[in-house]
Amino acid sequence: MAEDLVLDTAIRDWVLIPLSVVMVLIGVLRHFVSKLMRSNQVPDAKIVKEGQVIIRARNLRAGANFIPFKSFRARRFYYSNEENGLLFVPKGQAQNAQAQMFSDPNMAMDMMKKNLSMIIPQTLTFAWVNFFFSGFVAAKIPFPLTQRFRSMLQNGIDLSTVDVSYVSSRSWYFLNLFGLRGLFSLILGEDNATDDTQRMMQMSGFGFDPTRSLGAEKDGLDIVQHDWALPKFEHRAEAVLRKVLS
């Protein structure tokens, strides 16, 4: 049976609050350091244009049912026809994103700086937490949890009798590491340099591949089934007015 623990207020004052404040300050510092390390190179006009085309095609797919079928078919042909469509990329012109990154030394250097600004602070912070706060039960979740959450919330505590809702200091560090994205978005804006998940995607995918994104967007636009929604709304409005007036 799980045991109920009484947490000392000193743990809150000297472990929980300092750890949270340090994680926020390190995130803000990482953001400004990343901005200082970022090179002021002009983005490639072709990549910017292809990104804007992808955004416009996605907006067309999202609002396809709010324009007539004739207009949607003309726009889809403008984007996806195999002669001069904006989303069509001939096979000979396809460019490997990995080869493009290694051919541009500035891009490779920016990627290395971003990875260093992510890995070094995380390594030092984890070593600090593991050395000073290892073994502390820092907080308690105010709702019951299943046993599957034990390995996530009680990292560093090898006691099966402790209730799952208690959180160790090491697990609190990981919760702050991946759970402060919303707070950083409010403080630093949406385009901040503290999003580690985006960094990991860039490390695994070697950046943005415009050719693959254009092809995927073309396939998604081709399979859209148009169903104009506005006539249905007109009929519903007419039926409601008839009920009101009758």
Side-chain angles (χ1 to χ4, degrees), residues 34-45:
S34 299
K35 289 183 66 176
L36 291 176
M37 295 174 61
R38 188 181 305 169
S39 61
N40 296 325
Q41 61 176 357
V42 180
D44 190 359

Side-chain angles (χ1 to χ4, degrees), residues 82-96:
E82 297 185 357
E83 293 182 0
N84 55 358
L86 297 180
L87 295 175
F88 177 72
V89 179
K91 294 182 179 180
Q93 297 182 5
Q95 190 174 7
N96 191 357

Side-chain angles (χ1 to χ4, degrees), residues 174-192:
F174 287 110
L175 291 176
N176 281 274
L177 180 63
F178 296 104
L180 291 176
R181 295 171 55 188
L183 179 61
F184 288 138
S185 298
L186 291 175
I187 298 175
L188 305 173
E190 293 292 337
D191 189 15
N192 60 78

Side-chain angles (χ1 to χ4, degrees), residues 11-212:
I11 296 178
R12 177 198 62 193
D13 298 336
W14 295 100
V15 177
L16 187 69
I17 296 177
L19 189 57
S20 302
V21 173
V22 167
M23 292 298 297
V24 173
L25 294 178
I26 289 177
V28 175
L29 182 63
R30 281 178 51 195
H31 171 73
F32 289 106
V33 170
S34 299
K35 289 183 66 176
L36 291 176
M37 295 174 61
R38 188 181 305 169
S39 61
N40 296 325
Q41 61 176 357
V42 180
D44 190 359
K46 182 179 179 182
I47 296 179
V48 174
K49 180 181 177 181
E50 291 174 346
Q52 295 297 322
V53 169
I54 292 174
I55 294 175
R56 291 168 58 191
R58 288 176 181 173
N59 293 335
L60 177 60
R61 284 197 296 118
N65 296 331
F66 297 97
I67 59 176
F69 176 71
K70 185 177 180 181
S71 301
F72 170 72
R73 184 176 59 183
R75 287 171 171 81
R76 181 167 63 180
F77 179 80
Y78 175 71
Y79 282 109
S80 61
N81 73 89
E82 297 185 357
E83 293 182 0
N84 55 358
L86 297 180
L87 295 175
F88 177 72
V89 179
K91 294 182 179 180
Q93 297 182 5
Q95 190 174 7
N96 191 357
Q98 183 176 355
Q100 180 184 1
M101 187 190 70
F102 285 109
S103 63
D104 188 358
N106 293 326
M107 186 181 298
M109 183 62 67
D110 286 342
M111 184 67 67
M112 185 180 66
K113 290 179 181 178
K114 291 178 181 178
N115 295 338
L116 289 177
S117 65
M118 176 187 69
I119 295 173
I120 293 178
Q122 288 185 5
T123 304
L124 296 177
T125 309
F126 180 75
W128 173 68
V129 172
N130 198 31
F131 183 78
F132 287 101
F133 305 116
S134 180
F136 283 98
V137 178
K140 182 180 180 181
I141 304 297
F143 47 84
L145 297 171
T146 61
Q147 293 294 327
R148 294 184 178 181
F149 291 90
R150 182 178 296 276
S151 60
M152 181 180 69
L153 296 179
Q154 296 182 0
N155 194 325
I157 299 178
D158 298 329
L159 292 176
S160 59
T161 58
V162 180
D163 190 78
V164 185
S165 58
Y166 289 96
V167 183
S168 66
S169 57
R170 191 185 299 176
S171 297
W172 184 253
Y173 159 75
F174 287 110
L175 291 176
N176 281 274
L177 180 63
F178 296 104
L180 291 176
R181 295 171 55 188
L183 179 61
F184 288 138
S185 298
L186 291 175
I187 298 175
L188 305 173
E190 293 292 337
D191 189 15
N192 60 78
T194 60
D195 194 349
D196 294 330
T197 56
Q198 185 178 2
R199 300 278 185 85
M200 293 177 182
M201 290 176 61
Q202 291 178 356
M203 290 173 63
S204 60
F206 294 99
F208 173 67
D209 189 355
T211 302
R212 185 180 301 176

